[in-house]
Amino acid sequence: MPQRFATTLVALTVLAGSAFAQEAVKPTDKQAAGIAFFEKKIRPVLVAKCYKCHSKASGKAEGGLLLDTKVGIRKGGDSTHAVVPGNLKASLLWDSLNYTDLEMPPDKPLSAGVIADFRKWIEMGAPDPRDGGKPVKGPASNDLWSLKPIFNPKPPAVKNTAWSHDDIDRFVLAKLEAAGLKPVADADKQTLLRRISFDLVGLPPTPAEIKAFLADDSPKAYEAAVDRLLQSPGFGERWGRHWLDVVRFAESNGKDRDKLFPHAWRYRRYVIESYNADKPFDRFITEQLAGDLLPADNDSHRDQLRTATGMLAIGPKPLSARARLQMDLIDDQIDVTSRAVLGMTAACARCHDHKFDPIPTHDYYALAGIFRSTETLYGGGLSQKKGAGGIAPDLQPLGSAEEMKTARVHLTKLAGMNKQLVAARKKLTALQKGKGKKKAKGKKKQKQTKPEPQAKPDQPATEKPADEKPKPNPIAAMQQQIKKLQQQVAALNKQAPPPLQYAMAVREAKKFSDVKVHIRGEAKKLGEAAPRGFLSAVKLDKTIAVDRKTSGRLELAQWLTDSSNPLTARVAVNRIWHHLFGRGFVGTVDNFGTSGEKPTHPQLLDHLSQRFIDGGWSTKSLVRTIVLSRTYRLGGLHDAASHAKDPANELLWRSSRRRLDVEALRDAMLAASGKLDLAPPERSRVAEIGNGEVGRGINTKPLEREFLHRTVYMPILRTSLVEMLALFDFPEPSIVVGRRDVTTVPTQALYFMNSPLVIKHAEGVAQRAIATGNDNAARVQQAYQLVLARTPNQAETARVVAFVSQTADKLKATETDADKRELAAWTACCQALFASAEFRYVD
Amino acid sequence: MLDNIPSSQLSRRQMLKAGSCGFGYLAFAGLCQEAKADYTSPLAPKASHFPAKAKRVIFLHMRGAPAQQDTFDYKPVLNERDGQVGRNKSRKLMGSVRKFAQYGESGRWISDACPHVAKHADDLCVLNGMHTDIPNHPEGMVMLHTGSAQFVRPSMGAWLMYGLGTENSNLPGFVTISPPAINGGSKNYGSAFLPAVYQGTAIGDIKTPVKNAKIGNLKNGRWSKALQRDQLDLVQALNRDRLKQDPVDSQIEGVIESYELAYRMQSELPQVTDLSQESKATLDMYGINQPKTDDFGRQCLLARRFAESGVRYIELCHEFWDHHSNLRKGLTDKCDATDQPIGALLADLKQRGLLEDTLVIWGGEFGRTADSPKRDGRDHNAKGYTMWLAGGGVKPGFKWGDTDELGYEAVDGKVHLHDLHATMLHLFGLDHKQLTYRYAGRDFRLTDVFGNVVHDIIA
């Protein structure tokens, strides 16, 4: 604890220390008198009443506060300065002694006389001779590598000048040579094609693609394959999913109340489209933070920009804790923004200065002000609010102004009629009641009639069968009127414009304001106000300040994506490298702080970051550059000597084997069986369900229906993940996860052995293999190409053929139909290929 | 081939050898000899920080918050003042709706709603001074399971798995029977940022009688056992080919091992869950096949069978204890459904010598109020409630803590939920401050920055 505390004090102490050192060179008489006052009136009280919990000697620094040094008392604890010389209002100690905010000492207040002494002492400038508090070394920003500006290092000289294709290779090779290692041979063509296909689009190459690639002997064959894949819509589906991991995408709230987010899919579509369009990464970030504040070319462009801000709206929220909801929502927004974009754990500074990184609580609340000046449209809390004209007030309606107007006019008209209908029904009830009363005299209580349900806008009102013969009386007249109104409602509904579309989004709040520091994160203990701003330790080459008449989101986006921001490009490049090599330069991809890992290739990381910025933040260009490098194309050969020196392959002497993630596993099975529907679904299964809450009587039919689209489009419900996703390390969708777990456990094996889905798709592969004809070798080749994307050798073919014929033989006992036996035997064989480690990994 | 040796006593390599029928094993073993980076399953048993008293836990989760005043917290003053105004003018005090009496040598006060559990009064360690943070079901339940209502955190079962691994690698180490889908749903047995392998395996769900619950992918609807073994041999042959190319690749070794374990799990898990192997006397003792007690009786018997097989964390669930009204009948119904099964479970664990190292925990997400705006109901109370423990190294026939005489809040021997978590880990030989996992740049614990081990209740 003392050690940890030491690191928290840090930078402020350094500053404060130097300022005061200058102040107290030679005591004047006035100063001497002040110090005498301190010694007589103040120090004894501090010793008797405060040191027990706030001194080095006691080993306690409650609230991060030490009162036994001048530095400590002036710096204060977690919240703000305890004593500001000459300024009672700014001195938290003063408030605390007066029991206005904190209550100190906690057992009982000091006497009025003693408190008056403190007033005098602070007002006279808080003279304090105690200088025993040595400034403690802590996370000063200039110590942290990731906060230093990106420098553009020259590619190093290498001994083997023939090996490199690109500067990337020179950086890698130089490190290998320095360690006395040599890169292994390049990967063969089939391995490379499978690798690049999974890495770029998350799908295996088709037999036709394999054939074409093997047949193309030109030196540009590989480049052509890369370019084909970069143009495929699968690129956005693959790389968009990587981003969705980082921004904790889901289609329900999770946490204590798992309310559905039936409009979240639009944000997913936006992300995928952005990657396919190769939207510059700086622009991509800007749109997600402040798309609503950017100029739009037309209505659909504006909708797209608004949808982009869904990133800030889709997080998990404590829906049943209203009091905490706003600050927890803001915390989620700070967390996702700081970790996804900056690789900084700023949310750690909610209750105290960051323990390891130079992020004071003040910075946290500076960011919090930006998000509190923002309204988050996430669909509202647990009860569905109705807005004016029937438009949901807690979501962003989409469409042209005209469409919105038409919808509003329609909904308003409908609401008006429904109102009339309700009034008429009330009247009718009253009339019938009156009649009933007359009939049943003496009866005291009438059974309460339930109010008639309102006609819903999307379904025509049902008529009640009138069982009484219409008579010329007020009741009949009223019934007639109701019938007429119902007909009008039905007619109106027939001409209804298409229902309004919504997105989860944010927009500017009605009021812009700063947030006061919440002492220890508590909403009731407020410290000084933190003007809206950014992380103070991250230095740009220019000043960006929040326009006080806005929330500050646009400026936040500008600040994040400024080319001199040392973190944003590095973090983005590191994520890309992580997805292509299985490990980032910085292994802790979401944490570039002191407690994160240091980069294995800092120069290469900076080189690529600069190239990324210079190349207009183009993800596709950077991916292309990397996959064309020789380093990426290395084979996976084992080399005992290299392994002995670098078993984890951190220096990249070979290609590391990687586990396919769950999306690639499932998509590859469906692709192999020919069942995969590559077209994206129109919307989402969760949208089909609509509003509701998981586990509380929602219609689960849409979730149970067979799903043949790519896995990225599967419903993501936070408390109820699809089985295969849960089994194969799908990241927890409530938190930022840039690096997924890779576990290998028996439940995954059981899935491959027994899941009806695996067997079904194995049968699909078997059918395609059998369809090649009667030649067993050709069948094996087809199955191998479909599942493993390569040609089997003779021994492999023989083994599989033997298995199939033996299995077919054994099945004779139970299956009389020879065709069925054959299909079953081939199915069992293809299932074994799916289950193999070769299928589950990419080399 | 493995029938006579408990698998937990086999080394990983022995299992590989035996499990793969020796097929090609020699060549494989030769290749592995040069393997340096050895594969260790994340589920392999791990040493505790200090000697453990408990090896497994059975958590009897009573969702909805049972009323302590009518079960295990005897409040004579409250009973005397029944109908009077208490601390709140708009509410009236409500004495217990059940009769209390003293049981066992320990003289524990227990209500007549729980006659079967009362027989085990001398095994119970009753915590009458429990308190937690939030008297609201969704958050309370998540808090109970993960120690945090505010953030998504790993569940206590996941922490135990992370800390200790599993004793029986043929079974999941963490099972939750009939979990509710609401109030956090799977988060209550999730792993959050801990590796996914530590999450709980759900058996059925609360809406499905456990009789009809199924476990995913344990049965093969298509292949015979013999064909599946042939098929698996083909899979392993393919895998060994890969391993030949790179003999140091622990990942491939891990895949090979996982298939053999899965193969054994297929036969072991259905065996454990097959209650037909139990005698009629046992089924009757648990109240199985009796309409009221059938479901929870089956849950309890399954719990014993899992405990016997070395499953680390077992959770059961019985819901709808939220008696804001209709307490008399409601509480009686709930107790009628659970009391006999729980009594049987305690007796059964004891007669098999399992109780001493099995920690049984009973309780809900919080407790209920002493007063009510209407008669025959109690509202939520997080300030004072009761849970009880048994076995697993806690003091038997013991009571710890008290609420005030009316039962508004815990006043003595207070045990916060964080303290209970810390104590539970302690009984497993784990220091809750040392059991940390680094995520997002800092070390996390089940107890966050809170929790004190309650040494007074440890035997």
Side-chain angles (χ1 to χ4, degrees), chain A residues 452-700:
Chain A
E452 293 272 340
Q454 279 198 21
K456 282 182 188 159
D458 49 355
Q459 62 191 69
T462 46
E463 265 185 66
K464 267 193 132 188
D467 43 16
E468 280 176 62
K469 237 186 171 183
K471 282 180 214 164
N473 63 22
I475 292 184
M478 195 51 69
Q479 280 169 336
Q480 199 60 40
Q481 198 187 330
I482 289 173
K483 203 173 172 187
K484 208 172 139 196
L485 275 166
Q486 283 172 337
Q487 282 164 352
Q488 282 173 349
V489 167
L492 189 65
N493 272 326
K494 264 188 197 154
Q495 313 156 5
L500 264 187
Q501 307 293 308
Y502 295 100
M504 299 177 81
V506 302
R507 65 180 170 214
E508 297 287 80
K510 292 194 180 74
K511 266 196 336 205
F512 303 119
S513 60
D514 297 335
V515 174
K516 285 182 178 166
V517 169
H518 289 41
I519 298 163
R520 306 218 135 217
E522 289 174 38
K524 285 179 183 161
K525 293 185 182 168
L526 298 178
E528 61 187 344
R532 276 166 284 152
F534 323 117
L535 299 185
S536 53
V538 181
K539 303 277 192 284
L540 307 190
D541 61 6
K542 57 184 80 63
T543 308
I544 295 174
V546 170
D547 177 352
R548 315 299 300 161
K549 290 182 190 121
T550 70
S551 64
R553 271 184 293 123
L554 191 56
E555 294 90 331
L556 173 59
Q558 285 163 355
W559 177 84
L560 288 168
T561 57
D562 189 86
S563 61
S564 67
N565 187 310
L567 288 164
T568 306
R570 278 184 178 133
V571 170
V573 166
N574 189 62
R575 291 190 190 286
I576 290 170
W577 191 271
H578 164 78
H579 292 305
L580 293 172
F581 287 86
R583 190 188 184 288
F585 301 116
V586 178
T588 51
V589 294
D590 304 320
N591 183 5
F592 275 46
T594 313
S595 60
E597 291 173 17
K598 301 260 182 308
T600 51
H601 295 73
Q603 295 206 325
L604 178 52
L605 175 58
D606 272 17
H607 166 79
L608 286 173
S609 302
Q610 196 58 53
R611 257 168 107 165
F612 185 50
I613 295 168
D614 294 345
W617 303 76
S618 160
T619 299
K620 279 191 183 178
S621 305
L622 186 68
V623 168
R624 188 175 189 277
T625 303
I626 295 173
V627 300
L628 290 181
S629 73
R630 185 127 194 208
T631 309
Y632 178 82
R633 298 196 223 177
L634 281 175
L637 275 184
H638 174 63
D639 179 275
S642 302
H643 184 266
K645 281 190 179 162
D646 180 21
N649 190 31
E650 282 192 3
L651 296 175
L652 303 165
W653 52 271
R654 67 159 167 172
S655 156
S656 291
R657 177 173 283 151
R658 285 171 282 146
R659 235 268 301 279
L660 286 183
D661 56 30
V662 62
E663 289 89 344
L665 277 179
R666 180 179 166 279
D667 291 351
M669 280 197 286
L670 269 67
S673 74
K675 301 286 190 318
L676 182 65
D677 181 355
L678 282 171
E682 207 177 301
R683 43 182 192 161
S684 151
R685 291 285 166 88
V686 178
E688 285 180 38
I689 303 172
N691 290 317
E693 197 178 326
V694 177
R696 293 183 192 250
I698 52 166
N699 169 24
T700 53

Side-chain angles (χ1 to χ4, degrees), chain A residues 235-412:
Chain A
F235 181 84
E237 288 162 332
R238 174 71 170 170
W239 288 79
R241 183 58 247 182
H242 293 329
W243 182 250
L244 294 173
D245 283 10
V246 169
V247 295
R248 87 267 174 262
F249 172 80
E251 298 179 82
S252 71
N253 181 66
K255 297 198 74 132
D256 46 350
R257 301 295 296 266
D258 200 14
K259 198 184 153 195
L260 298 184
F261 291 163
H263 310 284
W265 64 274
R266 286 179 200 281
Y267 172 72
R268 171 170 60 201
R269 191 177 66 179
Y270 161 81
V271 169
I272 292 171
E273 285 175 357
S274 296
Y275 273 95
N276 274 332
D278 196 25
K279 188 170 284 166
F281 188 74
D282 55 343
R283 171 76 189 183
F284 181 53
I285 296 299
T286 306
E287 289 182 358
Q288 291 176 81
L289 281 164
D292 57 317
L293 306 176
L294 297 172
D297 301 336
N298 51 45
D299 290 327
S300 77
H301 187 214
R302 200 200 45 238
D303 284 349
Q304 197 196 51
L305 290 173
R306 285 173 168 171
T307 304
T309 65
M311 178 187 89
L312 296 170
I314 54 172
K317 301 155 195 82
L319 292 181
S320 53
R322 284 205 190 151
R324 244 187 24 230
L325 187 89
Q326 190 186 31
M327 285 316 286
D328 279 9
L329 169 62
I330 290 169
D331 189 65
D332 166 69
Q333 291 168 331
I334 291 176
D335 189 45
V336 72
T337 306
S338 65
R339 286 170 66 203
V341 184
L342 297 173
M344 279 285 144
T345 53
C348 288
R350 183 176 180 177
C351 310
H352 48 69
D353 290 348
H354 200 287
K355 299 276 184 196
F356 313 112
D357 295 331
I359 306 174
T361 309
H362 192 273
D363 285 4
Y364 177 93
Y365 289 95
L367 287 171
I370 294 174
F371 292 116
R372 204 169 71 176
S373 302
T374 299
E375 187 186 356
T376 305
L377 302 165
Y378 57 88
L382 295 171
S383 54
Q384 212 65 38
K385 268 193 260 169
K386 274 220 164 140
I391 293 174
D394 302 315
L395 288 165
Q396 175 63 56
L398 303 175
S400 67
E402 206 177 315
E403 283 166 326
M404 269 189 245
K405 196 182 158 196
T406 315
R408 190 170 290 129
V409 167
H410 169 72
L411 291 169
T412 312

Side-chain angles (χ1 to χ4, degrees), chain B residues 11 52 79 83 125 186 200 217 252 261 267 274 282 286 288 303 319 339 353 379 423 437:
Chain B
S11 77
N79 293 346
C125 174
S186 61
N217 305 317
I252 304 298
L261 294 182
S267 43
D274 179 9
T282 303
Y286 280 89
I288 291 168
E319 63 176 356
D339 178 53
D379 297 334
T423 310
Y437 187 82

Side-chain angles (χ1 to χ4, degrees), chain A residues 4 255-257 320-321 324 328 331 339 345 348 350 356 591 595 636 638 643-644 654 657 659 694-696 718-720 723 726-727 729 732 734-736 741 743-746 749-756 759 763 784 790 796 799 803 807 810-811 824 827-829 831-833 835-838 840-841 843, chain B residues 34 36-37 39 42-43 134 136 138-139 142 149-152 169 181-187 192-197 199 201 207 216-220 222-223 227-228 230-232 234-235 237-239 241-242 245-249 251-252 254-255 258-259 261-263 265-266 437-443:
Chain A
R4 274 199 167 180
K255 297 198 74 132
D256 46 350
R257 301 295 296 266
S320 53
R324 244 187 24 230
D328 279 9
D331 189 65
R339 286 170 66 203
T345 53
C348 288
R350 183 176 180 177
F356 313 112
N591 183 5
S595 60
H638 174 63
H643 184 266
R654 67 159 167 172
R657 177 173 283 151
R659 235 268 301 279
V694 177
R696 293 183 192 250
R718 284 194 167 114
T719 64
S720 174
E723 182 199 27
L727 282 176
D729 297 321
E732 165 61 56
S734 299
I735 51 186
V736 174
D741 290 330
T743 63
T744 303
V745 286
L750 283 169
Y751 190 81
F752 276 108
M753 288 159 68
N754 297 333
S755 157
I759 296 176
E763 191 169 85
Y784 259 70
R790 71 175 173 92
E796 285 169 333
R799 176 160 60 198
F803 171 82
T807 305
K810 287 183 187 168
L811 284 168
T827 300
C829 149
Q831 189 191 355
L833 294 182
S836 71
E838 184 175 351
R840 295 168 63 183
Y841 285 82
D843 283 323
Chain B
E34 58 183 278
K36 206 178 141 206
Y39 172 81
L43 291 165
I134 302 159
N136 190 8
E139 292 165 294
V142 177
Q150 197 165 4
F151 303 103
V152 174
S169 49
I182 56 166
N183 298 351
S186 61
K187 299 280 167 284
F193 46 70
L194 289 178
V197 26
Q199 72 203 8
T201 299
K207 301 288 177 225
N217 305 317
L218 264 189
K219 280 193 185 145
N220 193 305
R222 187 75 185 265
W223 315 126
L227 193 155
Q228 193 183 50
D230 289 349
Q231 191 189 32
L232 206 54
L234 176 62
V235 173
L238 295 168
N239 291 344
D241 279 356
R242 298 311 279 177
Q245 289 172 13
D246 185 353
V248 296
D249 192 335
Q251 300 183 85
I252 304 298
V255 171
S258 74
Y259 277 111
L261 294 182
Y263 186 72
M265 206 186 255
Q266 284 185 128
Y437 187 82
R438 176 143 289 213
Y439 164 73
R442 84 161 168 100
D443 289 336

